[in-house]
Amino acid sequence: MKVLVLNSGSSSIKFRLFNMKNEQVMSRGTVDRIGIDNSFLEIENFRGEEYKIEIEIPDHTTGIEMVKDALIDKKMGVLDRFDQINAIGHRVVHGGEKFADSTLIDEEVVQQIIEVSELAPLHNPHNLKGIRICEEISPQKPQVAVFDTAFHQTMPQKAYMYALPYHYYQKYGIRRYGFHGISHKYVTQKAAEIMGRPIEELKLISCHLGNGASVAAVKNGKSIETSMGWTPLEGLVMGTRCGDLDPAIIPFIMEKEDITIEEMKNIMNKESGLLGISGLSSDSRDIRKAAREGHHRAQIALDLFNYQVQKYIGAYLFIMGGLDAIIFTAGIGENASDIRAAILEGVEFLGLKVDQQANQTRQKIAEITTTDSTTKAFIIPTNEELVIARDTVRIVEKCKNAGVI
Ligand code: ADP
């Protein structure tokens, strides 16, 4: 089965074509800067050839048509015909409370995704665009939606409720949803595989540390708590997002500075986090370099980032009643050995000791604790596209067996 995975954002579409017989990536790439100047398509195939086409890409329809043409192109392509693709898997950021699993897309599902779009206005409408365009260019092809929130739907009520008047939950669905679910699911399953133990008996903490960052407590294969909340703003210190705050700060700043709700949202989402504290950059590489060179505010930013991760790990190991392994993934988690070391410092009492040499590994699976550690830590590069492709196969086969398609 060949599966095309699409991640449609506001100005970019990332794609990956899998041959699911052996889970080989046949082709991958990005359409970027859609609707802006200098737009381009970048594509790489399994033969290792890379191409970049710089051309005006005014909208998502043109972008997806370009992907389609590139995949069947004589030179760049890997297929003779587009209909050799059996199914398309879409990343959809928010599934609200409606979706606890990936699902075959039909009109009802589209309407439900539209209904929850209010909860992710920056993402869901673009994800939907990708779905609609694929329906148009390939109406017969099964399409599957894979949600970033679905993995966290197993959280108990005590973990997902906020202590606001209950009717806001009933009226607006204000509760914790959690994000990065596709990634947390992948790396925890992989950790169980590496440990050679069934995930149903493991207590794992997954740290997805990228520009956006979240931690999840995964007990017996199920997410029971995560740091992102109603939106991806809650929780850890991130590249430009503030994470946890005393909510009273928000009206205080708005009043003092005489700023609008939109401006305040912008400050919390785009001007805070590592960037806001350091005044330098949202990129952890710049922050770490500046901190090494003695930049005081870069050091504060870094300390806050690491400390916040530690606090969540501490809380999660307590609510799980123990811990078998901590997993680091995404841009920072897979690369920044100093951040990993700082987070794991001083927890030998847990039976967790960092193997300094193994911790130098980057972007590869590695056990970074000493062999005598009873609580393990791993680097596991995330592979969200593969989870989407696997889920697409699973759902399409389930629907075929049930005679739905
Ligand atoms: P996003 O949430 O946008 O997908 P990523 O997972 O790509 O983010 O993570 C971006 C972060 O990862 C940045 O802070 C960046 O500094 C860090 N990062 C990415 N690559 C490296 C690298 N090779 N070395 C150190 N840090 C890196």
Side-chain angles (χ1 to χ4, degrees), residues 210-212 282-285 288 330-332 335 362-363:
N211 251 327
S282 62
D283 192 304
S284 69
R285 282 167 288 202
R288 288 154 64 217
I332 298 173
N335 289 292
R362 289 173 54 179
Q363 296 176 6

Side-chain angles (χ1 to χ4, degrees), residues 33 35-40 53-59 62 66:
R33 302 184 62 84
I36 347 179
D37 54 347
N38 304 322
S39 45
F40 61 88
I53 303 166
E54 296 181 37
I55 190 169
E56 197 191 333
I57 308 173
D59 50 38
T62 314
M66 281 182 71

Side-chain angles (χ1 to χ4, degrees), residues 55-199:
I55 190 169
E56 197 191 333
I57 308 173
D59 50 38
H60 285 65
T61 307
T62 314
I64 291 183
E65 288 285 357
M66 281 182 71
V67 172
K68 180 181 164 192
D69 292 345
L71 290 174
I72 57 174
D73 183 77
K74 288 250 169 339
K75 195 164 64 146
M76 299 179 279
V78 290
L79 300 170
D80 297 323
R81 303 178 320 274
F82 192 68
D83 63 15
Q84 286 174 297
I85 295 173
N86 305 87
I88 303 175
H90 295 267
R91 180 203 204 123
V92 179
V93 166
H94 219 307
E97 281 189 324
K98 294 198 162 52
F99 299 103
D101 193 7
S102 305
T103 183
L104 187 74
I105 299 170
D106 57 17
E107 195 47 39
E108 196 186 326
V109 168
V110 167
Q111 288 312 317
Q112 287 173 331
I113 296 174
I114 293 172
E115 269 174 44
V116 297
S117 282
E118 201 180 47
L119 301 173
L122 302 178
H123 297 100
N124 272 29
H126 305 295
N127 306 154
L128 262 172
K129 242 187 238 171
I131 292 171
R132 286 295 198 208
I133 296 163
C134 290
E135 279 176 346
E136 260 166 47
I137 63 175
S138 215
Q140 300 311 321
K141 214 177 291 298
Q143 298 197 61
V144 172
V146 181
F147 301 94
D148 241 341
T149 49
F151 183 58
H152 300 301
Q153 279 296 302
T154 46
M155 281 192 287
Q157 194 165 39
K158 63 185 175 189
Y160 70 66
M161 287 301 294
Y162 292 112
L164 286 165
Y166 193 74
H167 62 262
Y168 292 125
Y169 166 60
Q170 294 169 307
K171 206 164 157 191
Y172 303 120
I174 294 184
R175 49 156 284 177
R176 177 187 310 284
Y177 291 98
F179 298 86
H180 292 145
I182 300 168
S183 175
H184 290 304
K185 178 174 166 184
Y186 175 78
V187 298
T188 49
Q189 283 177 347
K190 196 83 195 166
E193 213 179 291
I194 298 166
M195 294 168 85
R197 290 176 60 189
I199 195 160

